[in-house]
Amino acid sequence: MICADLEFELLSGNVELMLQNQPSRTAYREDIQGLRALAVSSVILFHVNKEWVPGGFIGVDIFLVISGFLITSIILNQKINDLFSFKNFYFSRFKRIVPAYIVFLVVIAIAMAILLTPSDFKFFRDSLKYASYFASNQYFADFGNYFAPNANELPLMHTWSLAVEMQFYFFLPLLLMYMPSKYLKTTVCTLIFLISAYSTYEILVYNDKQRVYFSLISRIPEFLIGSWCALTGSGKKWSGVTSNLLAAVGLMLIVGSIICIDENSLFPGVLALPACIGTAFIISAQKSMTNKFFSLSILVWVGGLSYSLYLWHWAILAGIRYYLESYALSEYWLFVFAILTFCCSYISYRFVEQGFLFKLEGKRSAYGVIGIILLVCLAIVSSKYINKNVVEPLELNLTRYAIADKICHGQIVGNCIRGSEDSETKVLVIGDSHAAQLNGFFDEIGDKYKLSFKVITASSCVTIPGFDVDRLPKWARQPCINQIDVIRDLLPSYDKVVIAGMWSYQTRSKDFMASLELFLEDAKKDDIDVVVLSQIPRLKSNPIRLQRFNELGLSTQVVLAQDWKTSNEIIKQVAGKYDNAQYIDLSDASIFESLPFYKNEMIYLDTSHLNEVGTKLYAQSVGERLANAF
């Protein structure tokens, strides 16, 4: 990855003296700096707009190959000269990587503490904790929450690759120092192909692409391809023709991968090998025309900034997208992004990467380390205080639609009854979070009209038998299955059912639509009356963010989505096919006239869910219409 920008070390201190008489493969390489420029540019362009370079994320894999090559070169030279020290190795990694990284974390922590809503900041703070000790790849591998900001708005998501690299540094020196030299090449080659095949197998068989993508194990082959170049000294005996040919092939492999591979590919694994092998070809072919191109001064300069560019670009981009609530950026915001990224990256490079801590030695280095640790601890603690106090906190009932551990959403809590428990009219309510948000709604209606509602829901999952669970995020699958099992047992005891869902999401699935029709058909056979509720209006603008931005003096604009109307119409047509089913459209209720507020009170939790205040006002507005259905 970018943080393997190790040439500084190859030109400084004892390492420089040690390498003066060593083979040229460990000398300063301008072409490798230029190769970094290609890598970081592809990553940034992909992050700005994935349609420009569909496989631009492969730039990270290029960095991993470079890192493996450079680190292996350093360790092998020190091993040959009996100069290797685990203590010195890890401390040099710390000095090279951590100062710029920690300064970045501190600045971003403060910025996000101001910008993010409290619920969104909680996710950021969790990722900050993991990122502070280089474990963010583990955090994001298991990350999944319906109410979390989307991936493009997570400021520290890109730190997973830095975490992978730091973790690899604990593995590689052990392999190089303790594996007998005669077995090293064979071992490295075997690991490359076995782990690549294993990663591909995991994606194909277990469909767990997210975990594999963020896994250290799946990225080991990419490091080791670079290590192979260093171990074999490949390219030293190549003729000019061979060097030019293989470097050109290497460049074509990289460019081809960037163009042909995209987010939907079975990546990493075997598909990562072409770009990594291409990178290895270019590293090995030092004197080719391709390498001379990568030695151009502008590319070398960009390559020097690559670590800082990588650190800052994604967080800035995520912050802008969070504020705009839009993935695509206008020309104006692209310009703002470019200026902020360049300025922050240059300052980081000039004053931190090449700054005071990098030059400290002895006890002063230890003091610098202690200062860095205290700095990140202070940032984590103070950022929470800043986030809570820079804007007056919202009342709790404006930030949730129910108390999470008191409703049967993804779990069974108590009897799941809302409204009147003694009513003779008992209704089973099933659906996803759009049904879960109505717990207070059914409480209000049930108490007033003496109706009993048993509400059983799951995130992203309409809890009907046959629901296509496989399309859900991994974290949502088992709760969905569990709730469906409960519903399956309960259905024979009910003759009235209410279904509510986020139809703008659910109707995209043909499998779900088939399951819904089958459910309605079976309900008809079993004499069960089904009421299908419309989806409430959906916003494009997050209401809690709007409120916070307004308090911060930032301009805002409320935008209403349109897909929910089309989806409601689709559900209406499906329900209309069955005599036992009736579709009730409540989206025209008076409380939706000036979203996301009603009589100057915020009634939405996010773009598509009501808050507790909203659910009660909703019930008061449409309760009689729904009660008449029973």
Side-chain angles (χ1 to χ4, degrees):
M1 203 194 81
I2 300 170
C3 62
D5 192 359
L6 302 172
E7 279 81 1
F8 291 109
E9 291 174 331
L10 297 177
L11 299 176
S12 62
N14 295 330
V15 178
E16 180 189 24
L17 297 176
M18 182 194 74
L19 294 180
Q20 286 177 351
N21 297 318
Q22 297 303 316
S24 61
R25 70 184 184 193
T26 55
Y28 178 76
R29 296 274 301 272
E30 288 187 338
D31 55 330
I32 289 181
Q33 288 288 66
L35 195 55
R36 283 200 183 93
L38 170 65
V40 75
S41 298
S42 67
V43 170
I44 292 175
L45 289 173
F46 171 76
H47 285 160
V48 171
N49 191 327
K50 62 185 70 175
E51 294 182 1
W52 294 350
V53 278
F57 54 86
I58 287 171
V60 170
D61 305 281
I62 296 173
F63 285 120
L64 298 183
V65 175
I66 294 172
S67 178
F69 171 74
L70 292 173
I71 292 295
T72 301
S73 299
I74 289 173
I75 294 175
L76 287 178
N77 274 284
Q78 293 179 347
K79 180 180 180 180
I80 291 170
N81 291 275
D82 198 26
L83 293 172
F84 181 79
S85 161
F86 282 98
K87 175 184 175 182
N88 291 339
F89 173 79
Y90 291 123
F91 188 66
S92 69
R93 297 300 93 238
F94 182 95
K95 284 179 64 177
R96 174 67 193 99
I97 296 169
V98 173
Y101 182 63
I102 294 303
V103 169
F104 159 76
L105 290 181
V106 170
V107 173
I108 294 302
I110 295 172
M112 293 303 126
I114 295 171
L115 185 66
L116 303 185
T117 66
S119 60
D120 291 340
F121 182 73
K122 180 183 181 300
F123 292 108
F124 169 80
R125 195 163 179 265
D126 289 342
S127 68
L128 177 63
K129 291 176 183 178
Y130 278 83
S132 66
Y133 56 87
F134 299 102
S136 55
N137 63 316
Q138 298 172 24
Y139 176 77
F140 290 114
D142 296 325
F143 184 80
N145 190 292
Y146 191 89
F147 294 106
N150 66 55
N152 294 313
E153 298 173 344
L154 299 173
L156 300 181
M157 193 167 189
H158 67 313
T159 62
W160 72 268
S161 53
L162 183 57
V164 163
E165 180 144 3
M166 290 296 283
Q167 292 161 20
F168 183 73
Y169 288 162
F170 286 95
F171 162 77
L172 184 61
L174 296 173
L175 175 67
L176 296 177
M177 294 303 296
Y178 294 118
M179 174 68 68
S181 298
K182 62 181 180 180
Y183 298 128
L184 259 178
K185 296 177 184 177
T186 302
T187 301
V188 167
C189 189
T190 302
L191 286 173
I192 289 171
F193 289 100
L194 284 181
I195 298 176
S196 296
Y198 169 75
S199 299
T200 303
Y201 172 82
E202 286 284 297
I203 297 172
L204 281 171
V205 175
Y206 296 105
N207 193 29
D208 198 1
K209 189 175 175 181
Q210 178 170 307
R211 182 181 60 81
V212 174
Y213 188 88
F214 292 109
S215 168
L216 166 64
I217 293 177
S218 68
R219 301 293 175 167
I220 285 177
E222 298 158 24
F223 288 104
L224 292 183
I225 287 173
S227 297
W228 173 262
C229 293
L231 283 167
T232 61
S234 62
K236 291 194 328 184
K237 297 182 180 181
W238 290 356
S239 67
V241 173
T242 301
S243 294
N244 280 316
L245 176 62
L246 291 182
V249 170
L251 184 58
M252 286 189 289
L253 287 172
I254 292 172
V255 173
S257 295
I258 289 174
I259 294 173
C260 298
I261 293 174
D262 60 28
E263 290 182 303
N264 297 318
S265 302
L266 300 177
F267 189 93
V270 173
L271 284 184
L273 293 180
C276 293
I277 292 172
T279 303
F281 281 165
I282 295 174
I283 290 174
S284 301
Q286 298 184 37
K287 298 180 180 180
S288 73
M289 294 300 294
T290 300
N291 292 64
K292 289 181 180 179
F293 169 77
F294 282 118
S295 298
L296 292 174
S297 56
I298 182 64
L299 295 179
V300 173
W301 184 76
V302 173
L305 283 176
S306 59
Y307 178 33
S308 287
L309 283 169
Y310 185 82
L311 280 179
W312 288 95
H313 85 279
W314 175 258
I316 292 171
L317 196 57
I320 292 173
R321 283 176 170 149
Y322 184 86
Y323 169 59
L324 298 177
E325 297 189 78
S326 172
Y327 172 80
L329 303 184
S330 66
E331 292 180 359
Y332 169 79
W333 283 106
L334 285 173
F335 177 76
V336 171
F337 161 71
I339 293 298
L340 286 176
T341 298
F342 173 76
C343 290
C344 291
S345 299
Y346 182 77
I347 291 170
S348 173
Y349 171 75
R350 178 68 180 83
F351 298 103
V352 184
E353 285 192 63
Q354 295 185 315
F356 72 97
L357 188 58
F358 183 78
K359 300 175 182 178
L360 293 181
E361 300 292 341
K363 290 184 178 179
R364 288 186 296 177
S365 287
Y367 295 147
V369 171
I370 294 172
I372 281 176
I373 294 173
L374 292 176
L375 187 63
V376 72
C377 291
L378 179 63
I380 292 174
V381 173
S382 62
S383 62
K384 184 176 181 181
Y385 175 83
I386 293 171
N387 181 255
K388 286 186 175 181
N389 292 278
V390 70
V391 171
E392 186 176 346
L394 293 171
E395 295 179 12
L396 196 57
N397 59 358
L398 297 177
T399 63
R400 66 188 185 191
Y401 57 64
I403 300 174
D405 58 2
K406 291 188 177 182
I407 62 174
C408 294
H409 187 57
Q411 61 184 342
I412 298 300
V413 180
N415 60 14
C416 308
I417 299 295
R418 298 293 161 183
S420 174
E421 295 193 21
D422 300 327
S423 174
E424 294 182 0
T425 304
K426 299 184 184 299
V427 184
L428 180 63
V429 180
I430 58 182
D432 57 23
S433 60
H434 277 235
Q437 74 177 334
L438 300 178
N439 272 270
F441 173 90
F442 287 117
D443 252 340
E444 194 84 9
I445 294 175
D447 287 339
K448 184 174 182 180
Y449 297 99
K450 304 304 177 185
L451 299 171
S452 176
F453 296 94
K454 192 178 189 75
V455 185
I456 299 178
T457 59
S459 291
S460 304
C461 165
V462 178
T463 47
I464 58 174
F467 181 84
D468 50 328
V469 177
D470 290 344
R471 69 183 164 100
L472 300 183
K474 185 178 179 181
W475 58 268
R477 293 175 191 170
Q478 193 57 50
C480 175
I481 292 170
N482 294 343
Q483 297 296 75
I484 290 173
D485 288 341
V486 173
I487 293 296
R488 188 179 285 109
D489 292 337
L490 288 174
L491 276 172
S493 303
Y494 284 83
D495 58 8
K496 295 179 177 61
V497 172
V498 171
I499 301 179
M502 185 178 181
W503 306 131
S504 56
Y505 168 68
Q506 303 295 354
T507 55
R508 299 176 199 164
S509 168
K510 293 181 179 178
D511 290 337
F512 166 73
M513 296 304 294
S515 297
L516 178 60
E517 294 212 37
L518 182 60
F519 175 80
L520 294 175
E521 182 68 37
D522 289 342
K524 181 178 179 181
K525 294 176 183 177
D526 296 332
D527 293 324
I528 298 174
D529 293 328
V530 181
V531 171
V532 184
L533 296 184
S534 61
Q535 178 180 338
I536 64 173
R538 192 174 75 85
L539 302 168
K540 285 188 176 180
S541 307
N542 186 299
I544 296 181
R545 295 187 194 182
L546 291 175
Q547 185 271 344
R548 188 173 187 86
F549 297 158
N550 287 335
E551 291 290 330
L552 292 171
L554 301 173
S555 61
T556 59
Q557 182 179 3
V558 180
V559 180
L560 194 65
Q562 297 298 321
D563 56 354
W564 60 277
K565 293 182 178 180
T566 304
S567 301
N568 276 346
E569 188 61 32
I570 292 172
I571 293 296
K572 178 181 179 180
Q573 291 175 7
V574 171
K577 297 178 182 179
Y578 302 92
D579 296 337
N580 63 313
Q582 59 175 314
Y583 170 82
I584 300 181
D585 190 351
L586 304 176
S587 62
D588 59 352
S590 59
I591 66 165
F592 299 130
E593 291 176 356
S594 57
L595 295 177
F597 304 97
Y598 178 67
K599 295 182 178 179
N600 296 321
E601 192 163 26
M602 191 166 69
I603 61 172
Y604 266 58
L605 169 66
D606 55 27
T607 59
S608 60
H609 295 87
L610 297 166
N611 57 30
E612 279 189 296
V613 172
T615 59
K616 292 181 179 179
L617 290 172
Y618 188 30
Q620 294 167 14
S621 176
V622 302
E624 185 176 358
R625 291 167 60 185
L626 183 60
N628 288 337
F630 303 107

